[in-house]
Structures are given as C-alpha cells and as structure tokens.
Amino acid sequence: MSRPAVCVVVPVYRAEATLDRCVQSILAQDVDGGLACILVDDGSPDESGALCDAWAARDTRVRVIHQEDRGVSGARNSGLAAADSDYLVFLDADDALRPGALQAALNAQRADPAAFVLWQYTTDAADPAAVTDAAAPYGQQALARLWLDCVLAMPWNKLYRTALAQRIKFDETYTLGEDLQFVLDYIALLGQTQPGFTYRLLQSPLTFYDCSHTGSLSTRYHANYCEIWPEHFAKLNAACLAAACPERDLRDLHRAELTVYAEGVADILRRDPTPLQGIRRDKAAAALRRPWLRALLDRMRQERCYSAYYLPCRWRSIRLVYAMAEAKRAGSPLYGKLDWAGYYLLGGRLRRD
C-alpha cells in the first residue's frame, strides 16, 4: 500500500468534549493521494484514550499512540516520528479542519512545489468563508510580516514536508513558545535544502481555532515568561535579519516584542504566586534589567523606533510599566495619554510608523 499524501497528527489530552469534532473534520477530508490520522493520547486521565481507540476501530486511516504524559510537544514529536506520508499537518484536539482544507493546501503546494504553504484560520465555527486554494506569494523577506500577521508562530496552519520535518523536533523543555522554535527550525532547514523557497499564504481560513476554552497555555501565568521569550525573540530576530526583512517590518517586530515582554513584566506583579509584593517587585525589576531587553532598546533607538513601553522599560520603572499594561488591558484612555507623553518627552526623535 502506498503512503498517503497527508498525515494529520493530533496531540490528545483531556479532549473528551472536542475530540470527536476534531477527528470527524479530518476523516471527512477528500484528499487526492490518501489521508492518515495519528492520534497521540498523551496520558490523558479522562476517556480521551478510549475515544481514540474507538476511532481507530472504525476507520483504518486512524492510528493511535498511547504514551505517558510528556506534554503537547512530546505528543507532537511522537506523532511526527510515526508519520509515513508525503506531507504532514498538525491539528489540536479542540480545533477542526474546515471542509476541503487539506485538498486546498495540497493544490497550493502542487501549484508551487518550492513553496512553504501556510493558511489563515478562523475562530468562528460557522464561518461562511469559502475554502479555496487561492494563495498570495511571499518572498523569504516577508518572515517578520508573517509573524506580525499572526500566521507564523503556530504549527497547525502549515503543510510540512514530512521527511524534512522529521529531521527536527519540538523542544520538550519549553512550556511556552516552543511552536515558534519548531517553525523557525523548519524554515532554516527548508532554506538549507531549498534555498529559493517562497511562502504561499492561502487567503481563506482552513482551520477552525477554538479559543473558547479557559485555562489554555496562552492564559496561564508562566513564572519564567521573561526568561523564555527573550530566547524565542532572539532566534526570530536572527532569522528575520538573515532573511533581509524590510526595515519597516523590523521596527514593527521590535515594537511587538517589547510589548509582549513589558506586559509579561506587568503580569509578574499581577499574577505571580508569591504572596509577598516585595518579592514580586524584585522579580519584575530583575526582568527589566535583562541584557536582552537592553539590547532590544538600543536597537530600537538606532532604528528611531518608538513604542509606548520604550521609556518605561528604558527607565526600568516597574510602576510605569504596570500602570500602562493595566490601562491598556482595561481600555482606559490613560494608556494613550502615557503613550503620547513618552513620545513628546523624546522630542519626536523616534518614529511611530
């Protein structure tokens, strides 16, 4: 039996409520060249493992891997290693593929064999947008813009060459941002093996991303947030410089990175589990002294790149960083006032574009 064109890898943990929807959306895909699905039960304590086995019993395209809890990266690595297909797609167990998604991605890939195919996603389960293979081409210099447009950092809106992806792994030591690391590693490997590759971004949403569940990694407090993100951003910045991204995109990227980091500093004061406010302040102050942050601010000064968080971070003022982050979170006009106050204090020497 020939290997399938596409294999979909699904990490499964506490997914009783959504797993059937996810798997149904995969098996309903009509794919030229065949389809496979690998469900990785990552030591799930509920009935998710039994649901996986039930799907495998009723459809030979489904394979189940049961393993001890290794986290989502460990589950994806197991599925990735077991895949035997031309291309591979990741999908989370609480998400779903829209009808025709995989064939649209394959069509885009076959129309441009040298491309790395990505696609948009939707958070509306009833999204009426048609699924088509219409795609916009991007050169490698668009890397920063793809991150800024929220289509780069996640692993589940991309069509990977299976044999190539199997040469790398998700880093299981990370609990945050490991997806971006994997994607950047894949892009670096793609550049080594196929230097002239381009990106093709499908304009229609192919994946339904269910963001209705609380308690996800994106909403949890991470005690080492301000240690992890500098590592990810350093790698992203190096990749963007190597790709010769436009200066305008780099300025926007650095603003976004400073915002992510500054709001992480504010989150220490807001949600760190220590009951002692003094320890929280010390931890936040230490984050504002990190060499990575100083280097980012120096780079922004060279670029004449303004951000609302530029002066609060340059001054290492945890009080001002926190006040701005809280104002922004609450939609308070205070944020805008502090933003423009910082701009005028700098005499307009840094640019807002």
Side-chain angles (χ1 to χ4, degrees):
M1 183 177 178
S2 62
R3 64 182 184 181
V6 182
C7 178
V8 182
V9 172
V10 183
V12 178
Y13 186 80
R14 292 187 183 274
E16 282 180 321
T18 59
L19 184 62
D20 284 347
R21 178 185 67 189
C22 174
V23 179
Q24 285 170 358
S25 79
I26 297 169
L27 299 181
Q29 301 287 315
D30 187 9
V31 179
D32 292 346
L35 169 72
C37 174
I38 298 177
L39 305 177
V40 185
D41 168 29
D42 193 45
S44 191
D46 60 5
E47 293 302 310
S48 295
L51 288 175
C52 291
D53 291 336
W55 276 108
R58 75 181 80 155
D59 196 311
T60 58
R61 295 174 295 175
V62 178
R63 176 182 173 186
V64 180
I65 297 173
H66 296 284
Q67 65 183 33
E68 295 298 318
D69 183 1
R70 286 170 49 192
V72 65
S73 290
R76 287 183 179 137
N77 284 336
S78 295
L80 173 60
D84 183 17
S85 57
D86 295 328
Y87 297 99
L88 180 138
V89 171
F90 293 105
L91 186 67
D92 289 345
D94 54 351
D95 298 338
L97 291 172
R98 300 187 67 226
L102 294 182
Q103 189 60 53
L106 276 177
N107 289 346
Q109 185 70 77
R110 289 166 179 167
D112 189 353
F116 183 19
V117 174
L118 311 84
W119 54 85
Q120 303 284 357
Y121 60 94
T122 180
T123 58
D124 180 3
D127 194 321
V131 170
T132 74
D133 57 14
Y138 290 87
Q140 294 183 29
Q141 68 275 14
L143 183 61
R145 180 52 51 190
L146 291 171
W147 186 84
L148 289 162
D149 290 345
C150 298
V151 293
L152 183 73
M154 63 285 288
W156 41 256
N157 67 329
K158 297 168 179 67
L159 188 68
Y160 302 92
R161 295 159 172 78
T162 302
L164 197 62
Q166 287 174 332
R167 293 169 59 179
I168 57 176
K169 290 183 178 181
F170 289 87
D171 190 330
E172 297 179 34
T173 64
Y174 284 113
T175 59
L176 183 69
E178 69 282 356
D179 299 346
L180 176 61
Q181 290 273 350
F182 180 85
V183 173
L184 291 175
D185 286 343
Y186 182 83
I187 289 171
L189 191 56
L190 190 59
Q192 293 169 16
T193 58
Q194 198 164 316
F197 84 91
T198 58
Y199 300 98
R200 284 184 73 87
L201 176 63
L202 278 79
Q203 300 303 291
S204 60
L206 304 191
T207 300
F208 164 59
Y209 172 57
D210 188 350
C211 57
S212 64
H213 302 285
T214 59
S216 69
L217 280 177
S218 60
T219 60
R220 295 177 196 162
Y221 174 74
H222 291 264
N224 57 350
Y225 182 102
C226 289
E227 300 169 12
I228 291 176
W229 275 116
E231 296 178 14
H232 296 329
F233 285 150
K235 188 168 186 173
L236 175 60
N237 289 340
C240 289
L241 287 173
C245 294
E247 292 181 2
R248 170 66 182 269
D249 288 353
L250 290 176
R251 289 197 300 271
D252 287 345
L253 175 66
H254 296 150
R255 286 190 187 97
E257 290 174 345
L258 183 59
T259 296
V260 168
Y261 190 82
E263 292 178 356
V265 173
D267 209 33
I268 294 172
L269 299 173
R270 184 186 305 120
R271 293 197 293 173
D272 192 87
T274 178
L276 300 177
Q277 189 62 29
I279 294 179
R280 290 188 184 186
R281 286 196 297 269
D282 290 346
K283 186 174 181 179
L288 290 178
R289 292 193 300 269
R290 289 187 67 88
W292 173 85
L293 177 60
R294 180 61 49 179
L296 176 63
L297 294 169
D298 289 345
R299 177 66 187 269
M300 292 176 69
R301 182 173 57 190
Q302 294 168 8
E303 297 170 327
R304 297 181 56 239
C305 174
Y306 179 74
S307 161
Y309 287 107
Y310 179 84
L311 280 180
C313 289
R314 176 68 76 182
W315 291 339
R316 299 179 182 174
S317 172
I318 58 174
R319 182 175 180 179
L320 194 50
V321 168
Y322 181 76
M324 293 197 69
E326 286 296 286
K328 182 180 177 183
R329 194 164 70 107
S332 168
L334 177 62
Y335 177 82
K337 293 177 181 178
L338 292 173
D339 177 7
W340 281 101
Y343 178 72
Y344 288 122
L345 277 173
L346 288 164
R349 293 188 300 273
L350 303 189
R351 52 199 300 171
R352 299 183 67 91
D353 67 342

